[in-house]
Amino acid sequence: MAKQIGAIAFIFLCTAIAWAFLGTTVQFRTDNQDTKLCSEVGSLWGTSLEQKAPLAYYPVEEKFRDTKFIDGQPVEVEKTRTKKESLIPDSTKIKGKISLEHRKKGLLWYATYHVVFDGEYVVENTTGEPRDIYFSYLFPNSGGIYDNFVMEIDGKAVRDLLPENGEIIKSMYMQAGEKRRVRIAYGAQGLNDWWYIFGSGVSQLRNFSLVLNTDFDGFDFPERGISPVAKKKTADGWELRWEYTNLISDIQIGLEMPQKINPGPMVGRLSFFAPVSLFLFFFLLFIITTVKNIRLHPMNYFFLATGFFSFHLLLSYLVDHIDIHLAFVICSVVSIFLVISYMRLVVGVKFALFEIGISQLVYLVLFSYAFFLDGYTGLSVTICCILTLFIVMQLTGRMDWGEKFRRVQTNSLQPEKGGV
């Protein structure tokens, strides 16, 4: 008995090492592809968009004293420099719509989206005298593509748009107390998340309103992002509202796109945790066969282990070509068929279908599917382990282990008369 347990343990250990190599290989493939494909997706579709709030300012000349050296002697001279004095927009009204479209490259899904942005900013000359007020708009990404870009001042389109270093600056001559409405609108493409940045550091906002519509569920708000003050379900997604009368904050507005299950990382996780499922399967099978006096050779355990391993091996390459859920079903059917068709020859059809088949369904298929349940994986695995322990305790509660081991030892010393 000790030799048989040792042989089974050796088979388990070798299979666990094979799973470790498989998981490492899948992880390596995924990391290499992500490094290459993420830049490709970014160049084709765009990167994360961070729309910065535009700036309104006016130049002020200020004098200061500086020291320069003449003939080696320090001399104080008076100089003049231009300083930008910022103006807080009197109001900001933004409407946006984000449409999500996941794109698959290799072993990874990327959350690409299209955003339509339409913002109106009211700028007031609060300086108390007529002067030139400058309006500075920064593009979310200087290398991005912005379709149907519109800049209007008091309803009149600005024709001579000359961006420099991802920025458009327009001057507006304004009387004291005069207000101008500046509208910015465009369509753009992004990846993974969208941000509206109030400014660097602590910023102040007056009469701010942002209404963002999505055509999807499952979004999230980043750690350093402000949650909306109101949410409303629509026919195809959600309407999110951020509205503030007078806000002072260094936290921004952000929206994370829902992510699909990435095949590469998922298959890697399944491979690394597969030894747990095989251990539970071997443990229960060993107890059942011991209770029912069914003799299984370590080679039988070896082929059972290969049946389990075939599931993950096939899955790691099949997910390159088809949806991961369909691949999961196909690999489950293949693995269960391999094991049951083999074990029916070893112990008969009934035992292969019920004890073996049901155990494999639980410890391979359902155990692996628990990793698709984000947030419940640990709980599912724990419940599976506790139920296994309960079943084993009930099966062996009245068993005389000393007598059982002596009987097995005696039988192993007798010559076999056929069978396994």
Side-chain angles (χ1 to χ4, degrees):
M1 175 65 77
K3 290 183 178 179
Q4 184 184 23
I5 294 176
I8 295 172
F10 178 75
I11 293 169
F12 171 80
L13 179 62
C14 292
T15 311
I17 293 174
W19 266 316
F21 275 110
L22 178 62
T24 303
T25 301
V26 172
Q27 193 174 54
F28 180 77
R29 288 171 54 206
T30 302
D31 292 342
N32 279 1
Q33 286 186 356
D34 190 30
T35 302
K36 177 183 177 182
L37 296 176
C38 190
S39 60
E40 290 183 2
V41 173
S43 61
L44 292 173
W45 192 260
T47 58
S48 173
L49 295 181
E50 296 184 357
Q51 178 58 72
K52 301 176 179 63
L55 302 175
Y57 63 89
Y58 59 94
V60 175
E61 300 290 334
E62 66 174 10
K63 295 180 180 181
F64 68 100
R65 303 191 68 82
D66 193 13
T67 302
K68 62 183 300 186
F69 288 88
I70 301 177
D71 297 330
Q73 298 297 320
V75 178
E76 283 195 354
V77 295
E78 189 176 81
K79 292 185 178 181
T80 302
R81 61 187 172 192
T82 302
K83 180 182 178 182
K84 294 180 179 179
E85 291 288 346
S86 298
L87 292 173
I88 300 173
D90 188 61
S91 70
T92 299
K93 293 183 179 179
I94 301 171
K95 293 181 180 179
K97 180 174 177 57
I98 297 181
S99 303
L100 181 65
E101 182 181 357
H102 285 96
R103 293 173 180 265
K104 186 172 182 289
K105 288 282 189 179
L107 292 171
L108 294 170
W109 281 99
Y110 294 92
T112 58
Y113 62 87
H114 183 269
V115 59
V116 176
F117 181 90
D118 194 329
E120 183 181 86
Y121 304 88
V122 176
V123 180
E124 181 180 1
N125 181 1
T126 58
T127 63
E129 59 182 274
R131 65 171 67 242
D132 285 324
I133 303 296
Y134 291 85
F135 186 89
S136 170
Y137 169 76
L138 293 169
F139 288 92
N141 186 339
S142 58
I145 298 175
Y146 304 93
D147 187 28
N148 297 323
F149 185 87
V150 174
M151 184 176 189
E152 295 178 350
I153 298 178
D154 291 335
K156 295 181 180 179
V158 179
R159 302 295 181 185
D160 53 337
L161 296 173
L162 299 174
E164 292 185 8
N165 299 320
E167 182 180 21
I168 295 177
I169 301 177
K170 297 301 294 182
S171 65
M172 304 175 292
Y173 184 78
M174 300 174 61
Q175 298 293 332
E178 184 181 1
K179 293 183 179 181
R180 293 287 184 91
R181 296 181 180 273
V182 182
R183 175 174 174 254
I184 301 289
Y186 61 83
Q189 299 172 153
L191 178 69
N192 291 335
D193 48 34
W194 180 86
W195 289 86
Y196 188 83
I197 308 297
F198 300 140
S200 57
V202 179
S203 303
Q204 182 179 7
L205 300 172
R206 294 197 192 105
N207 303 315
F208 178 87
S209 172
L210 169 59
V211 180
L212 191 63
N213 286 276
T214 72
D215 65 351
F216 53 87
D217 299 314
F219 51 80
D220 200 359
F221 304 105
E223 182 179 350
R224 293 293 296 171
I226 304 176
S227 298
V229 296
K231 295 189 295 184
K232 184 174 71 175
K233 190 75 174 72
T234 60
D236 56 352
W238 287 84
E239 180 185 274
L240 310 174
R241 287 181 174 271
W242 290 264
E243 295 179 337
Y244 308 101
T245 303
N246 189 13
L247 175 69
I248 297 178
S249 174
D250 64 345
I251 302 178
Q252 320 300 334
I253 293 177
L255 187 71
E256 290 183 350
M257 306 302 132
Q259 301 290 332
K260 278 194 172 186
I261 296 176
N262 277 315
M266 177 59 72
V267 174
R269 289 182 65 198
L270 291 179
S271 299
F272 286 127
F273 281 90
V276 179
S277 67
L278 183 63
F279 173 80
L280 294 173
F281 177 77
F282 273 8
F283 180 54
L284 183 61
L285 181 61
F286 178 80
I287 296 298
I288 293 176
T289 53
T290 301
V291 171
K292 294 190 173 185
N293 295 317
I294 298 175
R295 296 179 59 192
L296 290 181
H297 193 274
M299 283 302 297
N300 300 135
Y301 283 91
F302 169 77
F303 286 113
L304 288 173
T306 58
F308 268 62
F309 184 78
S310 65
F311 168 85
H312 301 86
L313 182 62
L314 179 59
L315 183 64
S316 66
Y317 291 97
L318 196 58
V319 291
D320 281 346
H321 308 286
I322 62 176
D323 177 74
I324 188 172
H325 292 92
L326 178 59
F328 186 91
V329 172
I330 293 175
C331 295
S332 300
V333 172
V334 170
S335 180
I336 292 176
F337 174 78
L338 282 174
V339 170
I340 291 180
S341 62
Y342 168 68
M343 290 305 293
R344 70 180 176 85
L345 303 174
V346 179
V347 292
V349 175
K350 184 178 179 180
F351 189 85
L353 282 175
F354 289 95
E355 280 83 350
I356 303 294
I358 294 176
S359 297
Q360 187 182 10
L361 178 66
V362 173
Y363 294 111
L364 177 64
V365 179
L366 297 183
F367 181 93
S368 299
Y369 193 76
F371 287 83
F372 289 81
L373 307 175
D374 190 27
Y376 294 92
T377 302
L379 178 61
S380 302
V381 172
T382 300
I383 292 174
C384 182
C385 293
I386 292 175
L387 289 177
T388 302
L389 181 61
F390 173 78
I391 293 172
V392 170
M393 292 172 68
Q394 297 304 308
L395 288 175
T396 61
R398 299 179 182 276
M399 180 181 295
D400 185 343
W401 283 101
E403 176 64 26
K404 177 64 67 174
F405 272 70
R406 283 194 297 270
R407 187 183 304 171
V408 172
Q409 184 68 26
T410 301
N411 292 338
S412 64
L413 296 176
Q414 297 177 356
E416 295 185 4
K417 297 180 181 180
V420 179

